[in-house]
Amino acid sequence: MARSTGNNKEDAYALFHSLKSAYTATPTNLKIIDLYVGFAVFTAIIQVAYMAMVGSFPFNSFLSGILSCIGTAVLAVCLRIQVNKENKEFKDLPPERAFADFVLCNLVLHLVIMNFIG
């Protein structure tokens, strides 16, 4: 049977409060990576909005900008997964190695993007 919907506001408040309290326990380095991911996604959204308003005349440049932002965000999420101490899968991987992988993959990503621009 369906549950009554009278407590939706209280349920939403409890969910928000539990997420907020869980995120405050997150280490600072993971919060910085989260900000970086948010900035990359926000930049991609701004580029899409600009393309919708102005047009996409140099379409290769538009695609390169979007792929750069989204690719960087994906690589940063991978870095966050590898650096997280609670993740048991990467417990033997030192954070320096994870950061070196992130930098190398970003270098390769942006070399490909620069080649795509032409």
Side-chain angles (χ1 to χ4, degrees), residues 21-77:
S21 63
Y23 194 70
T24 55
T26 304
T28 307
N29 61 347
L30 296 181
K31 288 180 182 179
I32 291 171
I33 295 172
D34 290 341
L35 283 173
Y36 182 71
V37 170
F39 177 73
V41 171
F42 179 71
T43 305
I45 291 170
I46 293 295
Q47 287 180 8
V48 169
Y50 180 81
M51 189 268 314
M53 289 187 293
V54 176
S56 64
F57 165 62
F59 195 66
N60 284 353
S61 298
F62 166 70
L63 282 180
S64 296
I66 294 298
L67 291 176
S68 173
C69 291
I70 300 302
T72 301
V74 168
L75 290 175
V77 168

Side-chain angles (χ1 to χ4, degrees), residues 33 37 72-83 90 98 102:
I33 295 172
V37 170
T72 301
V74 168
L75 290 175
V77 168
C78 293
L79 175 66
R80 187 188 195 284
I81 290 171
Q82 291 176 358
V83 172
F90 296 104
F102 171 73

